[in-house]
Amino acid sequence: MKRKLLLFMLSMTACVDMMAIEEVAAPMNVYARDVLSLNGKWNYIIDQQNIGYYDYRMNPTPWGFFLDAKANHPSDLVEYNFDKSETLDVPGDWNTQDEKLFWYEGTVWYRKKFQWTPQTGRRALLYFAASNYMTRVWVNGKKAGEHEGGFTPFCFDVSDAVKKGENTVVVMVNNVRRKENIPTQIFDWWNYGGITRDVMMVSVPQIYIDDYFVQLRKGDRKTVDVNVRLNKSCAGKKVVLSIPELKVNKQMTTDENGVSSVSLRIKPVLWSPKNPKLYRVNLTMEDDTVKDEIGFRTIETRGKQILLNGKPIFLKGVSCHEETAYTSRRCNSAEDADTLISWAKDLGCNFMRLAHYPHNEHAIREAERQGILLWEELPCYWTIDWTNKKTFACAKRQLTDMIARDKNRANVIIWSIANETPHSDARDNFLSRLAQYARTQDSTRLISMAMEVTGASNYVNRLHDNMSKYVDVVSFNQYIGWYRDVNDAPKMKWEIPYNKPVIISEFGGGAVAGFHGDKEKRWTEEFQENLYVQNLAMLDKIEGLAGTTPWVLKDFRSPRRMEPVVQKGFNRKGLFSDQGKRKKAFYVMKKWYEKKDLQYKK
Ligand code: GCU
């Protein structure tokens, strides 16, 4: 009997060791490639003690859930069964799909079966748009790889693991919060877990266009810099760039690193919120063609001004989490984004701060189509483990992937590397290296971070931050009226000793939609309305104010907001309720943006 069991176990493990799978860069513009979506119903198993991965000695077991094993003989011992397990939708967080997972932080296993036909001369990639937080992936029982970080894409070349016919992908996702993670243990949003964004198989030629950058040079509205990289270091490959509408048809040749660069003079209609003009751009190399829609604009600063296409602009913004309107779950589609964008547009916005982590690609592209400028942010939020090398590597990886994914989006103008981080040498060391690294990845956009006001005596608010020399825009959060008395606002003076544009990246206060009363009464719409009136009058006095992103577009879920009468698990600082009800402060903000329009028209 034992011999049969052993033979069964060995038969399961033997076949998986022969093949090689590797993590590869997530190909640029994956949605324009030859893909097979794996979205839909996935069977899942909750595994609080990671028994699907570790044995009872906490050693990784070769007989884990990744084998998707079946009992073939009546006496076989298999203590899990994906076929008989419930399903979750992918993409989607697990918290809002299954009541018993609403608060769950731990491991969930996912399994999906799919049909595949390997094609001669082509590679098979398995692409995840994101999965929160720690993800391990197996294909047909073979480990494809793992990824840390919940908000950026990752990809594996599984050509040597997939086979003709039915294939199985098993994914282990763990969203436990840890000190060394990015973000760290505490944050004011719901820790949505799971395979939160699209999953797809991607078919590409053996050698394909892996990455490209097609953007106007900083401050030059007529020179486009083009950089193309292949997945392999192949010299002499011909890549043709075409932009039909601009009569561009340029052949480029790769160097020994599989890279080619060229600069061209073009006269594009510039992308702007009023005219979000996009051009069809084609890149072809042998049997690989990638089509994209790209806009051309310049973004720069001049003293305390932000210049879009050489003209001063005021960033009429709002901060926003990646959480759906009405249903309050993780967003994962253009439709989800469209609702939030329409609310921001209602407010009169031309700009959105996507807090505090990279949102999904559908949202970025939808905002680009609708003329909304974007601030994207790395979740270096609050008390990061600054001296931990692994933590820095994780932050750097997320920054690399955020920039790599969205560097061709005309509407993305600011890369933010952090939010409300306590001052220390270790912090400065960590963040200054990230800021400098970001510039090596993209020299065309602005770098910023959400700082905090330092020292406020005698009604003088000072912003002294060593990081201000590493950023293009000094941005800070301030909560006069909520975490400080609203009556201080009229007396407030600001000391911001930097010749750089200023963005107020957060201000605001809570209110329950429909709850009315005296403006002194907290949580009433009148309290929030008055707070906005006082704050906006105060902000009007800040010299060099170039933008605002009030906190926050809509009420959003947070485990830090459990007051049972008004909060009920929601941060109530929205200008909209989670059900789309405009609060009185909404109209104050809208009116102020109309006034800004008039000021900037002159
Ligand atoms: C902070 C933080 C937000 C948070 C907000 C609040 O400034 O950046 O993530 O939600 O304050 O207190 O509501």
Side-chain angles (χ1 to χ4, degrees), residues 188-189 321 353 356 381-382 419-420 477 479 483 506 551 556 561 571 573:
D188 192 23
W189 66 82
H321 268 291
R353 174 188 177 207
H356 292 287
Y381 181 97
W382 290 349
N419 178 73
E420 291 191 352
N477 303 350
Y479 278 92
Y483 298 121
E506 287 182 37
W551 192 262
F556 62 92
R561 312 293 172 172
N571 182 313
K573 295 191 177 73

Side-chain angles (χ1 to χ4, degrees), residues 84-95:
K84 296 275 184 293
S85 300
E86 295 172 80
T87 61
L88 284 171
D89 288 328
V90 168
D93 60 82
W94 62 54
N95 312 72

